[in-house]
Amino acid sequence: MRKLENLKPERVFYYFEEISKIPRNSYEEKEISDFLMNFGKEHGLESYRDDVFNVILRKKASPGYENSPKVVLQGHTDMVCEKAEDSTHDFKKDPINLIVDGKYLKADKTTLGADNGIAVAYALAILDSDDIKHPELEVVITTDEEDGMSGVVNLDFDEFDGKTLINLDTEEYGEVYVSSAGGTRTETKFIFETKKIGNGYTPISIEVKGLSGGHSGAEIHKNLGNSIKILSEVLYHLSKRYEMSLIHIDGGGKVNAIPREAVAEIAVKLDGDSIDELKNLAGLAFENILKDFKVSDKLPILAIEKIEEKNLGISLGDTLNIINFLHEVPNGVLEMSKHIEGLVETSINIGFISTEIVDGNVKIRIKSLARSMANDPLNKLVEEVTDLTRKHDANIKIAASNPSWEYKEDSKIRELIAKSFKEITGNEPVIKAIHAGLECGVFTQNIKGADVVSIGPNIYGAHTPEERMDIKSVGETWEWLLKILENYNIKED
């Protein structure tokens, strides 16, 4: 028995369930691309796949639409793979365990993958049907959108020639996105010599947990706590009172997700204080940090405990160096738009930190994702982080960068989409920009005269184990999409 067989639209949820069986972490998308290529073969579609597993499927126009220009439907196969702390799910081999919970579809203690599996499901349901009215379709399904957009960056744009593109990676029904932020991923690397921890130092662990996490673009303005930044601020405050040797620090997972948990192991010279006195000081600092950052999470937790003796850490000076770097490095919303009320202009998210011992040295890596609605502020922010990194004797690598998607004054597809929405609902859709990275900017940069919009159903808690999709809005978006294709009469210049 299929878990989603009673959900409507039937074929959309059928294909969503099918692709949910296939592991599809970023950079691990061959299996899902095989599925798409087999689908194309079985349905007699012209199919193309490149070396990074981007897939293009083409379907001829239905009767009466032969003279209309092509439409590109676009989404991505990969998903953010996050799970609850007590989950045993293995994203490399386990299917997503889907759960229908009232009006929502969610997963069992993991991300759902509606971002952006629902786009793939919509596209396959359209390609599977002989009854839907539509112009010639080019379905472009890219890879690695979530971890750098290397799929679309390496896409051969000569493999298709449609100029009107409907991206299906938006997470709010009834809203049409027409602009999105550009983004740059950075990786900062510290390498320290290991030092023997001296006598009189007490090893403890300090953990920040209980945070909600969230999308580091679309939800960066909600003051959701960043566990790495909060933990680093607690360490910064403790460093004003105690000598400390950092042993280990870890937190987060993906730079496009606000980290929910982070933990550090340190050796502290208490100088006559008790562990309880250190806990009290750390607790006061924690409460002040939450107030200063206006953290909106309901259950932030600071957990401190003594741990077993450790022999090696990094020096007191190196410990202060990295703590000061983490204190100084920007995080969160940096500037709001002067033109669109409520829109974040520029932000940065510290999404990942890890520690490993390599050849007797301690290597600490910190990954961040900077975003901006315009390219100049983005470049300035990356320069600021680069200068700060060098000031603290670390190395920085620009891991990936994608351009912003700028607003198009004269958009025929935007007008058609608004008209179609009003026909089926009686209302006007909301035209919006989003402070998140969509692939649309890469398409507009590479296709001369491209006319692009983005729509989708309601998805909440994307990039977290709380991700859920509003079932009703999936059907409403489906109806809207079919009306758009039926109304399609755009004549390209």
Side-chain angles (χ1 to χ4, degrees), residues 60 109 149 189 238 303 336 359 393 447:
K60 294 181 179 179
K109 298 182 180 181
M149 297 193 184
K189 186 187 298 180
L238 290 178
M336 299 297 292
D359 297 328
D393 298 321
I447 301 173

Side-chain angles (χ1 to χ4, degrees), residues 264-280:
E265 294 181 353
I266 58 174
V268 184
K269 193 169 186 178
L270 292 173
D271 281 335
D273 285 358
S274 65
I275 289 283
D276 286 340
E277 287 174 305
L278 179 142
K279 286 183 178 180
N280 288 336

Side-chain angles (χ1 to χ4, degrees), residues 342-357:
L343 177 67
V344 177
E345 173 80 20
T346 305
S347 75
I348 185 169
N349 178 62
I350 306 170
F352 171 86
I353 188 167
S354 72
T355 306
E356 61 180 333
I357 306 296

Side-chain angles (χ1 to χ4, degrees), residues 68-86:
S68 296
K70 300 172 183 176
V71 169
V72 180
L73 300 179
Q74 192 267 322
H76 62 87
T77 51
D78 63 321
M79 62 178 283
V80 171
C81 295
E82 287 282 315
K83 62 183 180 180
E85 195 172 4
D86 60 345

Side-chain angles (χ1 to χ4, degrees), residues 418-433:
K419 171 178 177 265
S420 300
F421 187 79
K422 189 167 185 179
E423 282 183 20
I424 60 177
T425 68
N427 300 314
E428 297 285 349
V430 178
I431 308 299
K432 291 183 71 173

Side-chain angles (χ1 to χ4, degrees), residues 44-178:
L45 305 174
E46 184 180 346
S47 308
Y48 165 84
R49 175 169 62 181
D50 62 20
D51 292 341
V52 295
F53 305 119
N54 294 314
V55 172
I56 300 173
L57 303 173
R58 299 180 180 87
K59 185 174 184 179
K60 294 181 179 179
S62 58
Y65 290 81
E66 296 88 350
N67 295 324
S68 296
K70 300 172 183 176
V71 169
V72 180
L73 300 179
Q74 192 267 322
H76 62 87
T77 51
D78 63 321
M79 62 178 283
V80 171
C81 295
E82 287 282 315
K83 62 183 180 180
E85 195 172 4
D86 60 345
S87 172
T88 59
H89 186 90
D90 186 346
F91 282 107
K92 291 187 177 294
K93 62 182 181 66
D94 295 339
I96 300 298
N97 187 6
L98 301 174
I99 298 173
V100 178
D101 183 10
K103 66 179 184 178
Y104 297 112
L105 179 63
K106 63 181 187 178
D108 183 16
K109 298 182 180 181
T110 72
T111 38
L112 173 63
D115 176 14
N116 189 222
I118 192 60
V120 181
Y122 279 139
L124 296 182
I126 290 170
L127 294 174
D128 186 32
S129 173
D130 294 325
D131 301 322
I132 295 172
K133 299 176 182 179
H134 60 80
E136 184 174 350
L137 298 175
E138 294 180 312
V139 172
V140 180
I141 307 295
T142 56
T143 56
D144 180 37
E145 190 270 353
E146 301 289 5
D147 197 34
M149 297 193 184
S150 65
V152 68
V153 167
N154 288 288
L155 184 65
D156 185 350
F157 286 86
D158 290 333
E159 286 295 332
F160 61 99
D161 53 13
K163 291 188 175 183
T164 301
L165 185 145
I166 302 173
N167 169 279
L168 297 168
D169 196 11
T170 292
E171 297 165 4
E172 294 165 291
Y173 169 67
E175 300 190 349
V176 183
Y177 282 89
V178 294

Side-chain angles (χ1 to χ4, degrees), residues 179 336-345 373 407 431-434:
S179 177
M336 299 297 292
S337 173
K338 298 179 179 64
H339 308 290
I340 302 175
E341 185 176 354
L343 177 67
V344 177
E345 173 80 20
M373 303 303 294
Y407 177 76
I431 308 299
K432 291 183 71 173
I434 187 172

Side-chain angles (χ1 to χ4, degrees), residues 357-391:
I357 306 296
V358 180
D359 297 328
N361 292 323
V362 176
K363 180 192 292 184
I364 298 177
R365 292 188 301 147
I366 303 161
K367 296 181 181 180
S368 297
L369 174 53
R371 303 181 193 262
S372 184
M373 303 303 294
N375 291 322
D376 282 348
L378 180 62
N379 293 335
K380 289 178 181 177
L381 176 55
V382 173
E383 287 177 9
E384 179 185 345
V385 175
T386 299
D387 290 343
L388 184 63
T389 300
R390 290 170 178 163
K391 169 188 167 184

